Every structure is written in structure tokens, then in C-alpha cells.
Amino acid sequence: MLSFSILGALQIRTALGFAEISGDLQRNLIQTLLVSEGRPISGESLVEEMWGDSVPDKQANALQAHISRLRRKLKSLEPELTVSRVTIHPSGYRLTIHEGEFDAAEFTKAVRQAEAAGPADAAATAQLLGQALAMWRGPVFGDFPGGTICQLACARYEEYRMRAMELRFEAELRLGHHAAMLAELHEAHSNHPLRERFCEQLMVALYRSGRQADALNVYRTMRRHLSDELGIDPSPALRHVEHAILAHDPALAGTGTGTVARAALLQPA
């Protein structure tokens, strides 16, 4: 059994350790097949992804040579398999990936599971997403982002990562862990200063930690960022958190279980 990792530099793990994929074209090929997540991808798309504007003469032969090379490499890593992982279909080439073998697929599955969980599952959600976020070793594909298909996949998985962080922070706040989350929330907000949800969560955590002035200063800084960078005002949700802090809304204080009544905060003032 192999495991494929792209939440960081490309890695293929075997029972004996890590396998090396040599050559930019081979890495580009397997990365493109991986982010297709078991769906066939056309030869034309693979050629464009691998060579861009420098398409070789006899491109079909060149692609087939690289497909054959990848098949041999994967076969050498799983000599017991009788069927190649890379197969051809009417709509293109497909890399067979089994459940649990691809870190990006496992990560997105965990995020969807967390999105479907209810408030009462906060502890399980926090644990699930903490483990999922630990899969990340760096930027998707490391320093080799590949062509357009892979770059779009990078953006997609990065958005899932942001969503996972938001959901984990929300779960931790529900559990009353606002003080423990302050450093991570500060980092998330600093690294993504235009992402309003991180700002909301940081403001709530600061307020609960007895730092009302700091929470309001975070809001004012965010308001300036939005105005200077995008020419827009804060969202109604973010403005309502500010109003709730100014009014010492009891919904912000949480309870013994750390429930964050965000729905109440979003009601019109």
C-alpha cells in the first residue's frame, strides 16, 4: 500500500520508506493525476499542464512515454499488484487512489465531517480538525506548484485549510479555551488580515480574556485594512461583534461549557 502526500512537498511513502520521483515532468504528471482525485483527465490537459507553451513534437508520444515511466515506477513500489494504478479511459488517464492513501482527500473529508457536526460535538470537532491540520507540512506541493490545474488545486486545498482553522477555533471557543487559543488566533489573523472570521474569533477570545480594549483595537485595525485594501466596510457580522463587545452582551461571555452563541450575535441590533 502506498500513501501520497501533497500538503507540503510531494511525498510517496511505501512500507520501506519514502520513494523519490525524479524529474519535473514526472512530478508534474503525478501531482496532476493526484489532484484529479480518481477522476480521468484528458491527454490534452496533461500535456498542457506538463509542458505549458513548450509543447514537444509528437506530444502524444512524449506523454505516453512519461505515462509508461510513471507506471513502471509505481509498479516497482508495489510489485505485488497485477493491475497498474495508472489506467486509460475514454475520457483520459486516471490514477487509482484508495481510501486513506491521499492526504488531501483525507483532509477535505475531515473538514466536511466537521461542517456537518453540531455544537454538542465541539470536543470531537476540535480533536478531528487538530489532527487534520497536523497533516500540513507546508504549502501544497512545496516549492513546485506545477501548472494551472495544480495551482487551482492549491487554492482549493488552501481554502479548505482556512475553513478547518475557522471551525477548529469555533469549537475551541465553545469549549471555553479562549485563552489557550489567543496565540494561534493572533497568528491566523496576522497572516490573513482580510479574513473576517479570524478577526471575529480573535475579538471574542480577547474579550473573554478580559481584554476589551485590545478586542476593539483589533476591530479598528481590521476596518482600516478593509477600507484601504478593498474599499469596503466590515461585514454586518463583524460589526455586530463590535457592538456586542461595547454593550457587554452576555452572549459573548459563554457558559461553563464555553458555548459561543454566534447566531445570537448575528441578530440585528
Side-chain angles (χ1 to χ4, degrees), residues 28-260:
N28 212 336
L29 173 59
I30 192 167
Q31 287 180 176
T32 307
L33 290 169
L34 280 168
V35 299
S36 299
E37 296 192 10
R39 297 181 299 273
I41 181 169
S42 70
E44 291 82 1
S45 295
L46 286 173
V47 167
E48 183 176 354
E49 190 76 2
M50 293 171 66
W51 284 282
D53 296 330
S54 305
V55 178
D57 296 333
K58 299 181 179 179
Q59 57 184 266
N61 291 342
L63 175 60
Q64 189 55 52
H66 279 282
I67 292 288
S68 297
R69 180 180 168 189
L70 180 59
R71 281 173 169 161
R72 289 194 300 270
K73 177 65 176 182
L74 295 177
K75 175 64 176 175
S76 72
L77 301 177
E78 297 179 297
E80 71 281 2
L81 290 188
T82 58
V83 179
S84 175
R85 278 185 179 261
V86 182
T87 53
I88 187 168
H89 299 263
S91 52
Y93 296 91
R94 176 178 180 269
L95 175 66
T96 299
I97 307 171
H98 304 294
E99 186 173 357
E101 291 184 337
F102 184 35
D103 65 345
E106 294 304 299
F107 180 77
T108 55
K109 182 171 69 174
V111 177
R112 293 190 191 105
Q113 183 178 337
E115 287 179 325
D121 298 324
T125 296
Q127 181 179 21
L128 171 68
L129 292 176
Q131 294 170 344
L133 286 163
M135 296 181 187
W136 286 74
R137 298 169 287 107
V140 179
F141 304 132
D143 297 326
F144 191 78
T148 301
I149 294 173
C150 287
Q151 290 169 22
L152 289 172
C154 288
R156 182 172 74 251
Y157 294 130
E158 180 64 21
E159 184 57 36
Y160 269 106
R161 186 171 78 91
M162 294 297 99
R163 181 61 176 148
M165 293 171 67
E166 291 173 350
L167 290 168
R168 175 172 170 259
F169 290 144
E170 185 76 20
E172 295 286 5
L173 289 173
R174 288 183 184 278
L175 295 168
H177 299 164
H178 42 274
M181 288 293 104
L182 274 176
E184 289 186 57
L185 279 166
H186 270 295
E187 182 179 12
H189 178 54
S190 297
N191 291 339
H192 307 278
L194 298 179
R195 198 167 184 100
E196 293 191 40
R197 189 70 188 108
F198 290 151
C199 184
E200 287 180 44
Q201 293 169 323
L202 176 57
M203 290 169 65
V204 170
L206 285 167
Y207 178 82
R208 288 185 177 181
S209 300
R211 297 169 59 182
Q212 177 181 350
D214 289 337
L216 293 172
N217 187 55
V218 166
Y219 173 80
R220 296 185 190 105
T221 302
M222 180 70 171
R223 183 176 60 192
R224 287 196 299 271
H225 273 304
L226 291 172
S227 177
D228 294 344
E229 299 292 330
L230 301 178
I232 61 175
D233 294 324
S235 67
L238 187 55
R239 292 200 304 270
H240 204 84
V241 173
E242 183 215 18
H243 295 158
I245 290 173
L246 289 169
H248 296 280
D249 191 321
L252 283 173
T255 66
T257 59
T259 300
V260 176

